[in-house]
Amino acid sequence: ERLRWMPENYGKLYILINLANYKLSYYKDNEFVESHNIIIGKAYRKTPVFSDKMTYLVFNPTWTVPPTILYKDMIPAVRKDKDYLTKKNIKVFKDNLVKSPEIPSDSIDWMNSSGKNFYYRLVQDPGPNNSLGEVKFMFPNKYNIYLHDTPDKNLFQKEERSFSSGCMRLENPISFAELLLKDIPGWNAEKINIVISTRKETTVNLKTPVYVHIQYLTTWVDENGEIQFRNDIYDRDGAVLEGLNKKN
């Protein structure tokens, strides 16, 4: 049933992501190339299922704190520790305009701040401790979901990896970036490492867009003909089965 929701043509270059399997697989001309472990959204901040096109990468990305994380996580953290933003290399800007001026964090009344009266923009500087790590992979979509590196490498050792706030974290992202950029002259592992060492945000457009298909498959038949099962981490199977069993 879930495969019926997918496009008939996945594209020449495409990425298949199975959320229930915590896995990303890259294909070229319908031939498997490589796979990577991923971390997905928590049960209460689920990563959505959709398809779109990856068009560019960003090395040394800044991170603008999104509204949900800002209200539910960041403001409470600052209330507990006034130096929290400094420790995380996060700057505060007067408003959401791109050229808005930076302001001191202690000029804000954090105790009385909420989603209704907080008009400031919080941005984390590039660096190894940035929440997006050293690279993010962008496929612009209405959900504002993307793939990115993470400083929390140890989480990839977990069997079940639903730890994010919706976006997907990728294991070994630098090698994956090298793979995606290898058809662009001059872009190799050495060039990538040089760019990362500058700590300056750098955008690189892909020569050919890569389709990204995010799925949620709790069971499938693998290449050896064996049936695979995974936990229904988002409790979605029941609703699908109920829909299928309804009488017309």
Side-chain angles (χ1 to χ4, degrees), residues 165-184:
S165 295
C167 285
M168 295 164 288
R169 306 172 194 173
L170 182 68
E171 190 174 32
N172 300 320
I174 303 305
S175 65
F176 189 54
E178 183 182 357
L179 174 65
L180 294 176
L181 297 178
K182 71 176 185 178
D183 60 345
I184 302 178

Side-chain angles (χ1 to χ4, degrees), residues 218-230:
T218 52
T219 183
W220 70 95
V221 177
D222 66 19
E223 62 274 11
N224 297 317
E226 296 181 358
I227 192 165
Q228 296 286 329
F229 294 97
R230 295 296 183 271

Side-chain angles (χ1 to χ4, degrees), residues 17-215:
I17 296 174
N18 185 358
L19 300 175
N21 194 35
Y22 307 101
K23 189 79 70 176
L24 173 153
S25 299
Y26 179 69
Y27 293 83
K28 182 176 182 180
D29 297 323
N30 285 321
E31 294 291 331
F32 172 77
V33 178
E34 66 180 38
S35 64
H36 292 255
N37 290 328
I38 62 170
I39 290 169
I40 68 170
K42 302 170 185 175
Y44 59 92
R45 295 184 185 176
K46 300 177 178 65
T47 302
V49 171
F50 66 97
S51 294
D52 224 304
K53 286 190 292 186
M54 183 183 295
T55 53
Y56 67 99
L57 316 182
V58 180
F59 293 106
N60 299 317
T62 58
W63 180 51
T64 299
V65 182
T68 300
I69 295 177
L70 176 63
Y71 307 143
K72 294 185 177 180
D73 303 325
M74 199 70 65
I75 291 177
V78 178
R79 288 172 179 166
K80 294 178 181 178
D81 181 1
K82 63 182 180 61
D83 296 322
Y84 179 84
L85 297 182
T86 302
K87 294 174 182 176
K88 295 290 185 179
N89 294 319
I90 295 175
K91 297 177 180 177
V92 181
F93 293 88
K94 187 174 181 179
D95 51 45
N96 285 316
L97 298 177
V98 175
K99 295 184 178 180
S100 59
E102 183 181 355
I103 63 173
S105 62
D106 58 10
S107 66
I108 298 173
D109 181 5
W110 294 97
M111 296 307 296
N112 294 306
S113 294
S114 68
K116 294 182 178 180
N117 66 357
F118 196 87
Y119 307 107
Y120 310 98
R121 179 165 52 98
L122 273 58
V123 180
Q124 189 177 36
D125 287 337
N129 295 320
N130 183 286
S131 294
L132 305 183
E134 296 176 327
V135 59
K136 64 178 181 179
F137 304 80
M138 301 301 294
F139 40 103
N141 57 81
K142 65 180 181 181
Y143 305 102
N144 197 28
I145 293 295
Y146 48 89
L147 283 160
H148 62 85
D149 183 17
T150 176
D152 299 320
K153 312 292 188 186
N154 60 305
L155 294 179
F156 289 104
Q157 305 305 315
K158 306 287 186 179
E159 184 175 348
E160 294 198 353
R161 298 184 293 275
S162 53
F163 301 115
S164 83
S165 295
C167 285
M168 295 164 288
R169 306 172 194 173
L170 182 68
E171 190 174 32
N172 300 320
I174 303 305
S175 65
F176 189 54
E178 183 182 357
L179 174 65
L180 294 176
L181 297 178
K182 71 176 185 178
D183 60 345
I184 302 178
W187 279 97
N188 50 33
E190 182 180 4
K191 173 71 175 288
I192 290 173
N193 287 331
I194 291 173
V195 169
I196 290 174
S197 69
T198 67
R199 297 287 176 86
K200 293 182 179 180
E201 191 170 56
T202 304
T203 298
V204 185
N205 293 318
L206 297 180
K207 185 175 182 180
T208 304
V210 179
Y211 285 87
V212 179
H213 304 293
I214 304 175
Q215 304 172 310

